[in-house]
């Protein structure tokens, strides 16, 4: 399990079954969800094909040639590289950015840069910005963007020094300063993926710095001095400031609200203003909201996190699903926030919906350099799912749950059994899967005496703090599970009898003594009644129903076992649910129809190549074959359509 | 505000995240991040605040104006703290409850530890404690607080009551969420230092605090019991047996002999049911369309 990519490799037929049957709890939702999956898949496929082709076509000819030349001359002195391939690459990169040539920037960003990194800089830094500045006529904007990539590479592949951390911060601030404080919107356009990566990295570096700074031990004298002087670097305030400024500048909340109200594109553009109507600012604002969600979760404030997402559409072909890393991050943090609110069914729904997506998208994303971290996040979500489904059992997606059982089977049975061991298991799983919570404030580096006192008496670790709160939730939910198992056996039972059964373990400690027998009886009966109330409360929760903000919820029953107490008589009622067949048959009938259409549309096999043709083309034509029907069913709803139109227009 | 005349669980969370008692100004403050200029992020650069960072001072332009008026209200602005605390006081006084506003206060304490106000913290925790039996409110507040000693350390306070009171409140919360109401009352009325502090200096500030606890517990009881013995009720609500009948009348429970009859509320009159599958016509559109050819 050390290698995240090895985490889950679905068997061929398992994958097929999960493709065919994403069985959802709520019957009304599944149709939309299924359609959405298809759209996403098509989108991912289109993207995949696009980058695949462009990877060959769009890398400028001479770079490719030089690249081949470079690989051929592998043994040449290292110095030659800096005037070789990268030089040309950077010049062309600069050119593309000056011309706002999005497809070219995309290719160079997503494939060119990574390929060169892979080939020459897998263990060292790219050249410093000062060295390359003559190449790009000292273009400060480009150099800032270049440094952003430079530091991201350092963080990803190497060990960042304190200088790297500080400079990276200053650089990103310079970039945001340029974007926010120029006279009017800047004439720059960057691919969506890059903008997401940029903000994602911004929060990641903040998180990494906060963790590193939180421990004053093992720091060199010089580092301590620098930290003492620069208490504002990567501070919560400054990070929030940047994110909120982007949100505000792009008027993204107003835009999203207007879109939700169904206003026309012109009206939305008017609301968005000069900045927000430009894709650069709009995307930055949108991703800032998601980064805010993340920061608030990390700082232990789930309600504020969900409140930030008030206007962001999560379901359907939402904008955020167009970038897989963004999609997965968002759902992970929303799920974690729901867990902190004790809204287990909502957390389960959130995790399952993104995991289904991930399994289906897997095949298209193995190439992305973030694939590893996406997989890791998904792995955590399986662990959290194991926790949530234990705390709030109920029907959920079978294909996902089978994966959970496969990986956490032992833990699941331990947690369900209860007792001390169960608590340990909850703890282990939670620590393994929870976000890396942060302290809001740094240690007092500026004050030597205070720092020593701080070291002698360090504050509680934030992860530990959250863990304690989580465990207190678990204890209150789990303590009554044995009572529930007892109730299952009866249709009605007197509370005192129940007390006698239940007291086998509980009352042995308090038995005997001066209390009379009847007082003792009274006591335990009261205890049982209290436990029953706790059980009742534990089987009710609030869950999001249909439309509304993430914080909204209606009271629901999460348990099929319910009861009423009349005086001291407990009446038990059990709700049974029939198995659901319709969804299965509908999906498979539709699937059969698609297969049939595909076969009917396929050309007749020619005599010579008869055996191979249908097999080879099946997958592809099947996916493509859906396109017209899809567009007809829901015009303009395909998340990928505008993008393709835009690419074509350029 | 807890409705003292009716002990039934609320159906949705609207009142929880946006209480009707919340004023427009507070709402703007909690939600209205986008409407303000952020000058105070650097602008409130008074003596206690760290010097302005060189790299960032320009991020939001040069308008580093110290003045912050009410229009540019924002939840992170420490200069709003005083009237946020005033709003808390009004909640305490009038028996209203606004969790999100209170969390915003705790947020300011989190970011500006030197501004922490132990009294406000205790009031917020008391508010959260008396608001729900099983809601996350109390833990949400704890999540943004540190240990009491660390909080007091940052404000150089000699007043140590927080150290005793916070763990005590946590203990009460554990008792409440596991519905051990009898124990709760014996702790609350007990002789520990924290209980005395709470009873003597905090409870009197709150409008009907003890009554809110009673209604809160009654809500739990109502969701379980169709009939409950008065003697039991008296223990859970910490009422003398002679007053129980009267109290029941207040929440519209009728008394028959030695039991109180709780009106049906959906939770205490459960019926066994069978969940059947429903298929909407819209789910079949594709199949019907395919059949049409």
């Amino acid at each position: 399990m050390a290698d995240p990519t090895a985490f889950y490799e679905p068997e061929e037929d398992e994958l097929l079954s999960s493709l065919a049957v994403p069985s959802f709890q709520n019957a009304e939702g599944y149709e939309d969800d299924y359609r959405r999956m298809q759209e996403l898949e098509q989108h991912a496929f289109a993207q995949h094909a696009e980058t695949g082709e462009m990877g060959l076509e769009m890398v400028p000819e001479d770079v490719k040639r030089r690249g081949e030349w470079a690989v051929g001359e592998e043994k040449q002195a290292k110095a030659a590289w800096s005037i070789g391939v990268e030089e040309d690459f950077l010049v062309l990169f600069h050119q593309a950015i000056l011309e706002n040539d999005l497809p070219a920037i995309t290719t160079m960003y997503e494939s060119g840069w990574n390929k060169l990194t892979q080939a020459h800089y897998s263990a060292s830094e790219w050249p410093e910005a000062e060295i390359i500045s003559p190449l790009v006529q000292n273009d400060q904007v480009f150099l800032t963007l270049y440094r952003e990539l430079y530091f991201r590479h350092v963080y990803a592949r190497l060990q960042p020094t304190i200088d790297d951390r500080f400079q990276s911060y200053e650089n990103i601030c310079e970039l945001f300063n340029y974007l926010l404080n120029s006279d009017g919107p800047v004439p720059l356009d960057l691919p969506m993926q890059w903008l997401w990566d940029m903000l994602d990295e911004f929060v990641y570096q903040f998180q990494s710095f906060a963790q590193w700074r939180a421990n004053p031990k093992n720091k060199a004298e010089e580092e301590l001095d620098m930290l003492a002087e620069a208490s504002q670097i990567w501070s919560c305030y400054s990070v929030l400031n940047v994110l909120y400024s982007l949100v505000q500048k792009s008027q993204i909340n107003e835009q999203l609200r207007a879109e939700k109200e169904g206003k026309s594109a012109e009206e939305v553009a008017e609301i968005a203003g000069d900045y927000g109507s430009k894709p650069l600012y709009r995307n930055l604002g949108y991703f800032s909201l998601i980064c805010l969600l993340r920061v608030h979760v990390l700082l232990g404030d789930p309600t504020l996190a969900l409140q930030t997402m008030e206007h962001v559409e999560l379901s359907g072909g939402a904008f955020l699903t167009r970038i897989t890393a963004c999609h997965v991050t968002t759902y992970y943090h929303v799920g974690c926030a729901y867990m902190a609110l004790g809204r287990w069914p909502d957390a389960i729904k959130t995790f399952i919906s993104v995991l289904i997506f991930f399994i289906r998208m897997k095949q298209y994303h193995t190439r992305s350099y973030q694939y590893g971290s996406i997989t890791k996040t998904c792995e955590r979500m399986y662990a959290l799912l194991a926790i949530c489904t234990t705390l709030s059992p109920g029907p959920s997606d079978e294909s996902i749950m089978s994966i959970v059982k496969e990986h956490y089977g032992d833990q699941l049975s331990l947690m369900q059994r209860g007792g001390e061991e169960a608590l340990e298991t909850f703890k282990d799983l939670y620590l393994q899967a929870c976000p890396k919570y942060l302290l809001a404030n740094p240690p007092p580096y500026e004050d030597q005496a205070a720092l020593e006192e701080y070291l002698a008496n360090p504050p509680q670790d934030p992860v530990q703090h959250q863990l304690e709160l989580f465990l207190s939730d678990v204890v209150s939910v789990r303590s009554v599970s044995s009572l529930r198992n007892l109730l299952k056996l009866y249709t009605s039972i007197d509370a005192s009898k129940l007390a006698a059964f239940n007291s086998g373990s509980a009352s042995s400690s308090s038995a005997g003594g001066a209390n009379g027998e009847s007082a003792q009886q009274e006591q335990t009966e009261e205890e049982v009644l209290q436990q029953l109330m706790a059980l009742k409360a534990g089987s009710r929760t609030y869950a999001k129903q249909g439309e509304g903000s993430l914080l909204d919820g209606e009271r629901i029953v999460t348990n099929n076992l319910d009861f009423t107490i009349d005086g001291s008589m407990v009446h038990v009622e059990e709700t049974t649910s029939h198995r659901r067949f319709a969804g299965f048959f509908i999906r498979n009938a539709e699937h059969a129809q698609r297969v049939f259409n595909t076969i009917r549309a396929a050309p007749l096999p020619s005599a010579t190549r008869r055996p191979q043709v249908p097999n080879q083309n099946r997958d592809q034509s099947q996916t493509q074959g859906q396109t017209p029907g899809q567009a007809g069913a829901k015009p303009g709803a395909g998340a990928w359509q505008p993008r393709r139109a835009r690419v074509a227009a350029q | 505000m807890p409705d003292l005349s009716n002990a039934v669980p609320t159906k949705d969370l609207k009142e929880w995240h946006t209480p009707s008692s919340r004023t427009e100004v507070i709402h703007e403050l909690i939600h209205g991040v986008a409407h303000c200029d952020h000058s105070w992020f650097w602008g409130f650069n008074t003596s206690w605040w760290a010097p302005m960072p060189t790299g960032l001072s320009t991020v939001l332009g040069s308008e580093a104006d110290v003045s912050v008026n009410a229009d540019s209200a924002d939840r992170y602005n420490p200069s709003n703290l005083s009237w946020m605390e005033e709003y808390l006081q009004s909640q305490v006084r009038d028996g209203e409850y606004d969790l999100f506003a209170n969390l915003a206060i705790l947020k300011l304490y989190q970011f500006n530890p030197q501004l922490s106000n132990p009294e406000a913290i205790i009031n917020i925790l008391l508010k959260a404690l008396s608001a729900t039996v099983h809601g996350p409110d109390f833990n949400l507040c704890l999540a943004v607080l540190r240990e009491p000693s660390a909080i007091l350390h940052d404000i150089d306070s000699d007043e140590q009551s927080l150290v005793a009171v916070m763990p005590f409140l946590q203990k009460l919360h554990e008792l409440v969420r596991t519905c051990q109401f009898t124990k709760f009352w014996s702790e609350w009325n007990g002789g520990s230092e924290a209980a005395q502090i709470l009873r003597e200096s905090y409870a009197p500030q709150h409008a009907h605090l003890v009554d809110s606890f009673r209604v809160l517990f009654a809500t739990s009881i109502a969701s379980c019991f169709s009939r409950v013995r008065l003697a039991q009720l008296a223990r859970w609500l910490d009422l003398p047996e002679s007053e129980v009948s009267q109290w029941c009348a207040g929440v519209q429970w009728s008394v028959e002999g030695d039991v109180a009859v709780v009106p049906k509320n959906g939770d205490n009159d459960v019926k066994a049911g069978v969940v059947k599958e429903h298929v909407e016509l819209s789910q079949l559109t594709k199949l019907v369309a395919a059949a049409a050819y």
Side-chain angles (χ1 to χ4, degrees), chain B residues 211-226:
Chain B
D211 279 333
S212 330
F213 280 127
R214 285 192 183 125
V215 172
L216 181 66
F217 300 164
T219 312
S220 246
I221 295 167
S223 72
C224 266
F225 288 86
S226 56

PDB file of all heavy atoms in Angstrom, chain B residues 211-226:
ATOM      1  N   ASP B 211     -34.028  27.003  32.061  1.00  0.00           N
ATOM      2  CA  ASP B 211     -35.217  26.596  31.319  1.00  0.00           C
ATOM      3  C   ASP B 211     -34.865  26.067  29.937  1.00  0.00           C
ATOM      4  O   ASP B 211     -35.480  25.120  29.457  1.00  0.00           O
ATOM      5  CB  ASP B 211     -36.194  27.770  31.192  1.00  0.00           C
ATOM      6  CG  ASP B 211     -37.026  27.934  32.448  1.00  0.00           C
ATOM      7  OD1 ASP B 211     -37.216  26.905  33.138  1.00  0.00           O
ATOM      8  OD2 ASP B 211     -37.446  29.060  32.756  1.00  0.00           O
ATOM      9  N   SER B 212     -33.851  26.685  29.308  1.00  0.00           N
ATOM     10  CA  SER B 212     -33.469  26.172  27.984  1.00  0.00           C
ATOM     11  C   SER B 212     -32.954  24.753  28.101  1.00  0.00           C
ATOM     12  O   SER B 212     -33.226  23.925  27.239  1.00  0.00           O
ATOM     13  CB  SER B 212     -32.367  27.002  27.327  1.00  0.00           C
ATOM     14  OG  SER B 212     -32.415  28.309  27.696  1.00  0.00           O
ATOM     15  N   PHE B 213     -32.169  24.478  29.151  1.00  0.00           N
ATOM     16  CA  PHE B 213     -31.717  23.102  29.346  1.00  0.00           C
ATOM     17  C   PHE B 213     -32.907  22.165  29.470  1.00  0.00           C
ATOM     18  O   PHE B 213     -32.929  21.095  28.878  1.00  0.00           O
ATOM     19  CB  PHE B 213     -30.841  22.996  30.596  1.00  0.00           C
ATOM     20  CG  PHE B 213     -29.426  23.438  30.375  1.00  0.00           C
ATOM     21  CD1 PHE B 213     -28.836  24.388  31.199  1.00  0.00           C
ATOM     22  CD2 PHE B 213     -28.664  22.900  29.338  1.00  0.00           C
ATOM     23  CE1 PHE B 213     -27.523  24.785  30.995  1.00  0.00           C
ATOM     24  CE2 PHE B 213     -27.350  23.302  29.141  1.00  0.00           C
ATOM     25  CZ  PHE B 213     -26.779  24.250  29.965  1.00  0.00           C
ATOM     26  N   ARG B 214     -33.896  22.588  30.236  1.00  0.00           N
ATOM     27  CA  ARG B 214     -35.063  21.716  30.457  1.00  0.00           C
ATOM     28  C   ARG B 214     -35.783  21.444  29.140  1.00  0.00           C
ATOM     29  O   ARG B 214     -36.129  20.306  28.832  1.00  0.00           O
ATOM     30  CB  ARG B 214     -36.021  22.364  31.450  1.00  0.00           C
ATOM     31  CG  ARG B 214     -35.482  22.263  32.845  1.00  0.00           C
ATOM     32  CD  ARG B 214     -36.507  22.637  33.902  1.00  0.00           C
ATOM     33  NE  ARG B 214     -35.840  22.579  35.196  1.00  0.00           N
ATOM     34  CZ  ARG B 214     -35.800  23.581  36.071  1.00  0.00           C
ATOM     35  NH1 ARG B 214     -36.438  24.698  35.824  1.00  0.00           N
ATOM     36  NH2 ARG B 214     -35.147  23.444  37.202  1.00  0.00           N
ATOM     37  N   VAL B 215     -35.997  22.492  28.367  1.00  0.00           N
ATOM     38  CA  VAL B 215     -36.700  22.288  27.091  1.00  0.00           C
ATOM     39  C   VAL B 215     -35.869  21.404  26.171  1.00  0.00           C
ATOM     40  O   VAL B 215     -36.381  20.522  25.472  1.00  0.00           O
ATOM     41  CB  VAL B 215     -36.994  23.645  26.418  1.00  0.00           C
ATOM     42  CG1 VAL B 215     -37.549  23.429  25.024  1.00  0.00           C
ATOM     43  CG2 VAL B 215     -37.956  24.435  27.256  1.00  0.00           C
ATOM     44  N   LEU B 216     -34.549  21.623  26.235  1.00  0.00           N
ATOM     45  CA  LEU B 216     -33.656  20.818  25.414  1.00  0.00           C
ATOM     46  C   LEU B 216     -33.782  19.341  25.768  1.00  0.00           C
ATOM     47  O   LEU B 216     -33.931  18.482  24.883  1.00  0.00           O
ATOM     48  CB  LEU B 216     -32.225  21.301  25.674  1.00  0.00           C
ATOM     49  CG  LEU B 216     -31.112  20.631  24.902  1.00  0.00           C
ATOM     50  CD1 LEU B 216     -31.259  20.958  23.437  1.00  0.00           C
ATOM     51  CD2 LEU B 216     -29.776  21.103  25.422  1.00  0.00           C
ATOM     52  N   PHE B 217     -33.751  19.047  27.053  1.00  0.00           N
ATOM     53  CA  PHE B 217     -33.862  17.649  27.474  1.00  0.00           C
ATOM     54  C   PHE B 217     -35.250  17.117  27.149  1.00  0.00           C
ATOM     55  O   PHE B 217     -35.405  15.964  26.742  1.00  0.00           O
ATOM     56  CB  PHE B 217     -33.599  17.517  28.976  1.00  0.00           C
ATOM     57  CG  PHE B 217     -32.224  17.982  29.383  1.00  0.00           C
ATOM     58  CD1 PHE B 217     -31.921  18.249  30.710  1.00  0.00           C
ATOM     59  CD2 PHE B 217     -31.221  18.154  28.434  1.00  0.00           C
ATOM     60  CE1 PHE B 217     -30.648  18.671  31.083  1.00  0.00           C
ATOM     61  CE2 PHE B 217     -29.964  18.577  28.800  1.00  0.00           C
ATOM     62  CZ  PHE B 217     -29.669  18.849  30.126  1.00  0.00           C
ATOM     63  N   ALA B 218     -36.251  17.974  27.328  1.00  0.00           N
ATOM     64  CA  ALA B 218     -37.609  17.547  27.034  1.00  0.00           C
ATOM     65  C   ALA B 218     -37.754  17.174  25.569  1.00  0.00           C
ATOM     66  O   ALA B 218     -38.493  16.248  25.216  1.00  0.00           O
ATOM     67  CB  ALA B 218     -38.596  18.648  27.389  1.00  0.00           C
ATOM     68  N   THR B 219     -37.012  17.851  24.702  1.00  0.00           N
ATOM     69  CA  THR B 219     -37.045  17.525  23.275  1.00  0.00           C
ATOM     70  C   THR B 219     -36.572  16.099  23.057  1.00  0.00           C
ATOM     71  O   THR B 219     -37.157  15.338  22.285  1.00  0.00           O
ATOM     72  CB  THR B 219     -36.159  18.491  22.496  1.00  0.00           C
ATOM     73  OG1 THR B 219     -36.458  19.806  22.889  1.00  0.00           O
ATOM     74  CG2 THR B 219     -36.357  18.345  21.018  1.00  0.00           C
ATOM     75  N   SER B 220     -35.496  15.758  23.753  1.00  0.00           N
ATOM     76  CA  SER B 220     -34.976  14.404  23.651  1.00  0.00           C
ATOM     77  C   SER B 220     -35.993  13.394  24.166  1.00  0.00           C
ATOM     78  O   SER B 220     -36.207  12.340  23.571  1.00  0.00           O
ATOM     79  CB  SER B 220     -33.700  14.286  24.485  1.00  0.00           C
ATOM     80  OG  SER B 220     -32.621  14.057  23.657  1.00  0.00           O
ATOM     81  N   ILE B 221     -36.588  13.753  25.274  1.00  0.00           N
ATOM     82  CA  ILE B 221     -37.576  12.848  25.880  1.00  0.00           C
ATOM     83  C   ILE B 221     -38.765  12.688  24.939  1.00  0.00           C
ATOM     84  O   ILE B 221     -39.245  11.587  24.708  1.00  0.00           O
ATOM     85  CB  ILE B 221     -38.033  13.407  27.246  1.00  0.00           C
ATOM     86  CG1 ILE B 221     -36.846  13.403  28.218  1.00  0.00           C
ATOM     87  CG2 ILE B 221     -39.184  12.595  27.807  1.00  0.00           C
ATOM     88  CD1 ILE B 221     -37.063  14.210  29.479  1.00  0.00           C
ATOM     89  N   ALA B 222     -39.197  13.815  24.368  1.00  0.00           N
ATOM     90  CA  ALA B 222     -40.381  13.782  23.505  1.00  0.00           C
ATOM     91  C   ALA B 222     -40.156  12.936  22.271  1.00  0.00           C
ATOM     92  O   ALA B 222     -41.095  12.345  21.738  1.00  0.00           O
ATOM     93  CB  ALA B 222     -40.766  15.197  23.093  1.00  0.00           C
ATOM     94  N   SER B 223     -38.911  12.854  21.800  1.00  0.00           N
ATOM     95  CA  SER B 223     -38.701  12.088  20.577  1.00  0.00           C
ATOM     96  C   SER B 223     -38.694  10.588  20.877  1.00  0.00           C
ATOM     97  O   SER B 223     -38.685   9.779  19.959  1.00  0.00           O
ATOM     98  CB  SER B 223     -37.417  12.524  19.885  1.00  0.00           C
ATOM     99  OG  SER B 223     -36.313  12.069  20.601  1.00  0.00           O
ATOM    100  N   CYS B 224     -38.647  10.207  22.140  1.00  0.00           N
ATOM    101  CA  CYS B 224     -38.632   8.790  22.499  1.00  0.00           C
ATOM    102  C   CYS B 224     -39.959   8.308  23.074  1.00  0.00           C
ATOM    103  O   CYS B 224     -40.435   7.235  22.755  1.00  0.00           O
ATOM    104  CB  CYS B 224     -37.566   8.529  23.548  1.00  0.00           C
ATOM    105  SG  CYS B 224     -36.012   8.018  22.877  1.00  0.00           S
ATOM    106  N   PHE B 225     -40.510   9.117  23.967  1.00  0.00           N
ATOM    107  CA  PHE B 225     -41.600   8.630  24.802  1.00  0.00           C
ATOM    108  C   PHE B 225     -42.956   9.070  24.276  1.00  0.00           C
ATOM    109  O   PHE B 225     -43.114  10.221  23.855  1.00  0.00           O
ATOM    110  CB  PHE B 225     -41.455   9.187  26.223  1.00  0.00           C
ATOM    111  CG  PHE B 225     -40.326   8.563  26.990  1.00  0.00           C
ATOM    112  CD1 PHE B 225     -39.043   9.056  26.873  1.00  0.00           C
ATOM    113  CD2 PHE B 225     -40.559   7.479  27.826  1.00  0.00           C
ATOM    114  CE1 PHE B 225     -38.005   8.479  27.584  1.00  0.00           C
ATOM    115  CE2 PHE B 225     -39.514   6.906  28.533  1.00  0.00           C
ATOM    116  CZ  PHE B 225     -38.240   7.406  28.416  1.00  0.00           C
ATOM    117  N   SER B 226     -43.904   8.151  24.303  1.00  0.00           N
ATOM    118  CA  SER B 226     -45.288   8.584  24.084  1.00  0.00           C
ATOM    119  C   SER B 226     -45.924   8.897  25.435  1.00  0.00           C
ATOM    120  O   SER B 226     -46.786   9.752  25.533  1.00  0.00           O
ATOM    121  CB  SER B 226     -46.073   7.534  23.326  1.00  0.00           C
ATOM    122  OG  SER B 226     -46.018   6.316  24.021  1.00  0.00           O
TER     123      SER B 226
END
